Amino acid sequence: MAQLWGGRFTKETDAKVFDFNASLGFDKRLFYDDVEGSLAHVQMLAKCGIITEEEMELITGGLGSIRSDVESGKLEISGQYEDVHSFVEAVLIERIGDAGKKMHTGRSRNDQVALDMRLYTRRNVLLVRGKIHDLLESILTVIEANKETVMPGFTHLQKAQPVTLAHHFAAYFEMFRRDKDRLRDVYERMNYCPLGAGALAGTTYPLDRKFVASKLGFAAPTANSMDSVSDRDYLIEYLAALSIIMMHLSRFCEEIIIWNSNEYGFVNIDDSFATGSSIMPQKKNPDVAELTRGKTGRVYGDLVSLLTTMKSLPLAYNKDMQEDKEAAFDAMDTVADCLDVFTGMIDTLTFNKEIMERSAAKGFTNATDAADYLVGKGVPFRDAHGIIGQIVIYCDANSKSIEECTLEELRSVSEYFDEDIYEHISLNTCVDKRQTMGAPSAQSMDEFVKAAQEYLKVSEEEL
Ligand code: ARG
């Protein structure tokens, strides 16, 4: 058992306690960030005259050799070490001797782990943001190709009014665009360096915190040392943003599952993104969509777990906080995986445009437009609504759509109908006339696409 704090103890730690306390099994993924943080720390120590240049060189060389040995697989991050910080320090001392014992001067594991976790999370935010960008591009490709693909729009999962596939996908573009922006906000708010906060009360060494912060690419050092070691807000915010991403993915998945059902038949999931049944030879199941929907609960769980861990902690550091890692890593891994497979599924998804269009033609999606037609002829909207309601009852009883009624049939309900009603309630007219900003007409969608392309360009240059 290699511990950093043996001096004050007269007994060995109970083996069960050691295992219970240890975090190496899951914090080893902070290794590269731990080394990066230590490199910046010792450069600052030398610059401030707290260690000598030679000591700094020795430590830097030692850390470099540890890093390349881990990279090449020569050195495995395992063994009886409490955590990744203890592992690095112990191996360093083994390799370079006394100089290695100076690395931790003016630092505590409390500000060290706070730094490592921020460095790791900051990178992950960029990674996930890149994956959201890829998804947005895939969605935009579908939008661009389907401005004329009419489909039913739903409310209460009942056919409501005709829209286009482009318009439907544009709704998801908006959701993921907000997600991308949320990640920028998370990034900017978390981008402050906690190193130098010490255990909780700063240190008596004349550290240059600004130097370390800028070396590691942070906007500035954090402002309060107690907050610095006990703040996990950025993780909670990030997990909240990840939860919202999962909620969006889950909604999208739900629609794809419905659209892929035999009853709807709007889409075909590519064979490479579907799975079969061990007993029913005919089955092709939307497992990617279902699993993504299922994993949403898991990410919410990670968020709630972290919120609950933090909720009653007194200032400053408490060991409870070690529990942040598994939840946070799980959420990060899950979302990254889901985005990868989901985007692949969208890229290979094919659309049965005729079925969509036929579906839009059934179910009275043009009833509102028929009422609006009567309004155009001078009928008050409430009366028009009632007239079309009667026509819907008639059509239902006779298994036809409004446009399949003869002018005579229509006129028997209201004399305001004329020959031009058919043109007025054709699906294409219904879509084309919806030209307000954000509406489904091809013209409105052209505007949307232009703005979306611009957004993708500008947002890439933000961070
Ligand atoms: N493994 C610990 C964590 O993740 C590192 C900090 C330990 N600090 C302490 N005072 N025990 O939180």
Side-chain angles (χ1 to χ4, degrees):
M1 288 178 208
Q3 280 153 336
L4 303 172
W5 36 260
R8 176 242 184 269
F9 287 76
T10 52
K11 273 188 182 175
E12 278 279 301
T13 313
D14 182 278
K16 280 196 291 295
V17 172
F18 183 85
D19 289 344
F20 185 69
N21 196 40
S23 53
L24 185 65
F26 51 85
D27 67 16
K28 62 179 171 201
R29 68 160 92 189
L30 296 177
F31 171 77
Y32 290 100
D33 300 295
D34 196 72
V35 169
E36 201 189 329
S38 290
L39 287 170
H41 180 64
V42 294
Q43 278 180 41
M44 180 274 292
L45 291 180
K47 175 185 158 301
C48 298
I50 300 165
I51 59 174
T52 66
E53 281 293 319
E54 297 81 72
E55 287 164 340
M56 186 268 280
E57 297 291 347
L58 270 170
I59 297 170
T60 305
L63 287 173
S65 79
I66 295 172
R67 181 162 58 188
S68 56
D69 286 354
V70 165
E71 235 157 22
S72 70
K74 221 158 103 192
L75 177 64
E76 207 191 309
I77 309 173
S78 65
Q80 290 294 88
Y81 302 97
E82 195 180 326
D83 51 27
V84 69
H85 327 292
S86 317
F87 168 81
V88 173
E89 191 173 323
V91 178
L92 181 74
I93 294 169
E94 231 173 75
R95 292 194 177 188
I96 67 165
D98 278 353
K101 296 181 183 165
K102 297 200 172 178
M103 173 172 73
H104 207 52
T105 314
R107 186 173 73 172
S108 153
R109 272 185 302 160
N110 296 353
D111 58 346
Q112 185 178 0
V113 73
L115 171 69
D116 292 3
M117 201 59 189
R118 270 191 207 230
L119 287 172
Y120 186 92
T121 303
R122 198 175 62 168
R123 245 178 320 111
N124 193 267
V125 172
L126 292 183
L127 178 90
V128 170
R129 199 164 177 270
K131 290 182 191 295
I132 296 276
H133 179 90
D134 295 343
L135 174 58
L136 284 169
E137 281 191 330
S138 297
I139 293 174
L140 191 56
T141 305
V142 176
I143 294 174
E144 283 166 337
N146 288 286
K147 287 187 224 159
E148 315 275 346
T149 310
V150 176
M151 67 176 289
F154 298 84
T155 61
H156 314 273
L157 203 52
Q158 310 227 22
K159 290 180 201 174
Q161 291 174 343
V163 294
T164 62
L165 182 58
H167 190 245
H168 199 119
F169 264 56
Y172 284 101
F173 187 96
E174 283 301 282
M175 295 181 220
F176 292 114
R177 183 184 59 76
R178 288 194 293 273
D179 286 329
K180 191 170 180 207
D181 290 348
R182 230 185 306 280
L183 294 180
R184 178 201 57 208
D185 298 346
V186 168
Y187 185 98
E188 282 175 353
R189 213 176 349 270
M190 71 169 287
N191 197 23
Y192 294 87
C193 182
L195 202 70
L200 77 162
T203 83
T204 53
Y205 297 97
L207 305 186
D208 185 346
R209 293 193 59 208
K210 283 189 181 151
F211 175 85
V212 175
S214 94
K215 200 109 216 100
L216 294 171
F218 287 101
T222 48
N224 176 281
S225 60
M226 289 179 88
D227 178 53
S228 306
V229 291
S230 60
D231 169 32
R232 297 293 182 272
D233 288 6
Y234 67 95
L235 276 181
I236 291 172
E237 259 192 76
Y238 185 36
L239 263 53
L242 292 179
S243 296
I244 297 174
I245 291 170
M246 289 305 293
M247 181 266 289
H248 291 152
L249 283 176
S250 182
R251 292 182 73 175
F252 212 163
C253 285
E254 173 75 6
E255 301 221 80
I256 288 168
I257 292 162
I258 293 172
W259 292 355
N260 182 64
S261 67
N262 295 337
E263 284 67 25
Y264 275 72
F266 285 7
V267 297
N268 302 315
I269 296 175
D270 193 72
D271 276 7
S272 58
F273 279 83
T275 48
S277 156
S278 61
I279 175 169
M280 296 168 282
Q282 84 282 13
K283 290 297 274 296
K284 186 172 134 184
N285 295 327
D287 284 18
V288 164
E290 290 176 355
L291 258 182
T292 303
R293 188 178 59 183
K295 285 175 189 291
T296 304
R298 177 172 168 163
V299 174
Y300 290 2
D302 292 328
L303 169 64
V304 172
S305 157
L306 191 52
L307 279 167
T308 313
T309 299
M310 295 303 295
K311 89 180 220 312
S312 317
L313 295 188
L315 290 176
Y317 178 85
N318 301 269
K319 190 74 176 209
D320 313 44
M321 287 168 148
Q322 181 167 288
E323 287 291 308
D324 63 354
K325 286 171 201 69
E326 284 159 295
F329 294 152
D330 182 68
M332 295 178 199
D333 294 347
T334 304
V335 173
D337 282 353
C338 287
L339 282 169
D340 281 346
V341 288
F342 185 84
T343 302
M345 181 174 66
I346 293 292
D347 285 340
T348 51
L349 199 62
T350 51
F351 301 96
N352 299 323
K353 301 182 187 183
E354 266 169 40
I355 296 179
M356 288 181 166
E357 206 150 316
R358 228 179 303 136
S359 170
K362 298 256 157 59
F364 308 104
T365 59
N366 54 2
T368 316
D369 294 75
D372 289 343
Y373 168 87
L374 292 174
V375 170
K377 300 279 175 180
V379 182
F381 179 75
R382 195 46 61 210
D383 294 343
H385 187 283
I387 291 166
I388 302 301
Q390 281 176 46
I391 289 175
V392 168
I393 293 176
Y394 175 84
C395 287
D396 253 346
N398 293 280
S399 311
K400 43 168 89 174
S401 58
I402 304 176
E403 63 276 19
E404 283 167 351
C405 291
T406 63
L407 192 53
E408 231 180 5
E409 287 172 307
L410 295 175
R411 278 221 173 117
S412 70
V413 187
S414 166
E415 64 199 17
Y416 285 94
F417 285 111
D418 264 316
E419 199 52 52
D420 59 346
I421 176 67
Y422 298 107
E423 165 62 21
H424 194 96
I425 61 170
S426 85
L427 283 184
N428 286 337
T429 314
C430 292
V431 171
D432 282 350
K433 277 201 321 218
R434 292 184 152 74
Q435 293 182 358
T436 40
M437 197 178 160
S441 74
Q443 190 191 319
S444 303
M445 287 309 301
D446 282 343
E447 292 301 310
F448 182 91
V449 166
K450 254 190 263 154
Q453 286 165 340
E454 181 61 19
Y455 169 78
L456 287 180
K457 236 191 285 146
V458 171
S459 64
E460 271 320 86
E461 284 149 22
E462 271 173 356
L463 289 178

